[in-house]
Amino acid sequence: MIPYGKHIIDDDDIAEVVKVLKSDWLTTGPAVTDFEKAVADYTGCGEAVAVSSGTAALHAAMYSLEIKPGDEVIVPPITFAASANCVVYMGATPVFADVEAETLLIDPAAVEQQITPATKAVVAVDYAGQTCDYDSLKNICKKNGIVLVGDCCHAIGAKDEHGRKAGAIADISVFSFHPVKHITTGEGGMVLTDNPELAQKARIFRNHGINLDASARSEKCTWVYDMQELGYNYRITDLQCALGISQLKKLDKFLQIRRDLATCYDRILAKFPEVTPLRSKEGIEHAYHLYAVRIPASRRKAVFEFMRGEKIGVNVHYIPVHYHPYYQEHFKTKKGLCPVAESAYEQLLTLPLHPAMDRKDVKFITDKLDEALKNC
Ligand SMILES: *Cc1c(COP(=O)(O)O)cnc(C)c1O
């Protein structure tokens, strides 16, 4: 099976993890702060806080922003459920704003329509790996006194039209290091911000709400700490961060391969009248976490099954979040809420794209897609 996404772990990644296993700190040690610094430097962001997953990073971001019951946070429907779940964790209400048809990025005009006096934040998801329309979103947020959160889990290494890197554009942003993402720590995530206060809140939140972690207590020669807030154990281990540091060194190479394969798909699929790749915006640098296309809705299921039968791990990203039974039950969401997202969902198909693939794989996958469209 060619999966839709997959990690690459080399011997030097493994050697770095083994070094940590032989060291004194397995968690809250030097590899964690080194990984944070490396990601902060890579993105050009002032502060980075490493946590146990991208979802934990979203939760920590919402906590740092003091989102509370009664607040509303605007989210797009074409994303992984965690982008909206983090709002629910705080007892607040996610409000869905539709996406733009050609890119499936959150539509600033739709965001503006959803703003109420209760709106506290907007979550911008860099879907598939290209940056949202941050200029418009920032303007809207500024005008309304609300905060912009970047869910950049698809977009580490992407740049916007001004050369700003994903993760360093919104007020607070998150990455995930799950194995299907660009670089991995097994499980892992990070909160990024230029605001030291928000970063400090996230640091306390990941450690039970305690104000001094183990290494800080050891340095200060004290047993004293205060638990001032209710936090969680969202810490990440030094083993994971050593892997992350090693993986980050390869990120630009991985991105290069992803971009090359995407160009290869674009070129071949230009000759497929029934296949429409999502539009890549001009002037940005796409990180290509996903290569998503639209095909005729009436045949999507048959094409999906044909491709899976050929051991090609096609997928669908995503079922609109407001379709999920949990959201229907608790937030009374229903079909019709976001028509652009909903009609895109009927046609979406994700083709495999990851750095362990080569151009021959793209040729094989597109040949099979051609066959599928002729037979289904
Ligand atoms: C992967 C992902 C997450 C969650 O990250 P985890 O590390 O799996 O918790 C959140 N949002 C988006 C858009 C993602 O792709």
Side-chain angles (χ1 to χ4, degrees), residues 26-350:
L26 297 188
T27 190
T28 60
V32 178
T33 38
D34 288 350
F35 184 40
E36 291 174 339
K37 183 161 188 324
V39 175
D41 289 348
Y42 181 85
T43 52
C45 211
E47 304 267 349
V49 182
V51 292
S52 54
S53 69
T55 304
L58 283 163
H59 192 183
M62 290 295 148
Y63 173 86
S64 299
L65 297 172
E66 300 180 5
I67 302 300
K68 56 183 189 312
D71 291 345
E72 293 176 1
V73 176
I74 297 174
V75 297
I78 298 287
T79 184
F80 185 55
S83 313
N85 292 351
C86 61
V87 179
V88 183
Y89 296 156
M90 305 308 295
T93 304
V95 173
F96 294 94
D98 214 342
V99 292
E100 291 180 322
E102 293 185 332
T103 59
L104 306 186
L105 298 172
I106 196 165
D107 181 352
V111 168
E112 209 153 19
Q113 278 172 7
Q114 296 291 5
I115 289 177
T116 73
T119 309
K120 289 290 150 59
V122 176
V123 179
V125 177
D126 295 331
Y127 176 79
Q130 61 179 337
T131 49
C132 293
D133 182 356
Y134 280 106
D135 285 347
S136 303
L137 293 170
K138 280 188 160 194
N139 272 335
I140 293 165
C141 287
K142 197 166 164 205
K143 212 165 63 189
N144 292 281
I146 58 184
V147 184
L148 185 58
V149 180
D151 180 341
C152 307
C153 291
H154 292 189
I156 190 167
K159 284 185 189 163
D160 76 355
E161 56 274 37
H162 308 295
R164 296 176 295 195
K165 274 200 172 145
I169 311 174
D171 298 303
I172 188 164
S173 304
V174 305
F175 290 139
S176 161
F177 306 116
H178 182 277
V180 296
K181 306 292 162 68
H182 298 76
I183 58 169
T184 189
T185 58
E187 296 278 1
M190 202 167 290
V191 180
L192 293 116
T193 178
D194 279 325
N195 182 329
E197 258 171 61
L198 293 180
Q200 188 52 19
K201 280 189 201 159
R203 279 192 193 99
I204 289 174
F205 183 70
R206 80 171 159 190
N207 190 34
H208 308 278
I210 289 171
N211 67 349
L212 282 184
D213 68 21
S215 63
R217 285 205 298 281
S218 151
E219 233 163 69
K220 289 200 166 163
C221 189
T222 178
W223 68 83
V224 179
Y225 63 81
D226 291 320
M227 195 200 107
Q228 288 155 333
E229 304 280 338
L230 184 64
Y232 291 78
N233 178 355
Y234 277 162
R235 295 185 306 255
I236 186 168
T237 64
D238 283 56
L239 284 72
Q240 291 168 297
C241 289
L243 179 56
I245 294 165
S246 182
Q247 287 263 299
L248 185 64
K249 293 182 185 146
K250 299 163 191 170
L251 174 57
D252 286 336
K253 191 182 78 193
F254 292 161
L255 284 165
Q256 190 50 48
I257 299 169
R258 286 176 178 276
R259 286 171 183 147
D260 181 64
L261 295 173
T263 307
C264 194
Y265 269 129
D266 284 344
R267 207 165 40 229
I268 295 172
L269 295 176
K271 296 180 204 106
F272 285 45
E274 293 180 307
V275 179
T276 314
L278 294 185
R279 182 170 69 84
S280 300
K281 300 195 290 181
E282 258 172 56
I284 64 128
E285 284 182 38
H286 202 308
Y288 287 107
H289 165 55
L290 300 175
Y291 192 88
V293 301
R294 290 185 188 229
I295 61 170
S298 58
R299 286 142 68 208
R300 197 259 308 261
K301 185 169 181 289
V303 169
F304 179 98
E305 287 165 0
F306 180 98
M307 297 294 275
R308 284 286 180 97
E310 297 290 339
K311 302 219 179 317
I312 297 168
V314 290
N315 219 320
V316 174
H317 296 95
Y318 293 91
I319 299 167
V321 178
H322 65 281
Y323 277 16
H324 288 301
Y326 178 88
Y327 281 93
Q328 298 206 25
E329 186 184 332
H330 293 270
F331 297 98
K332 306 287 166 248
T333 57
K334 25 173 126 43
K335 272 193 186 185
L337 201 59
C338 297
V340 180
E342 291 170 18
S343 107
Y345 165 60
E346 299 297 324
Q347 304 169 350
L348 276 174
L349 189 71
T350 303

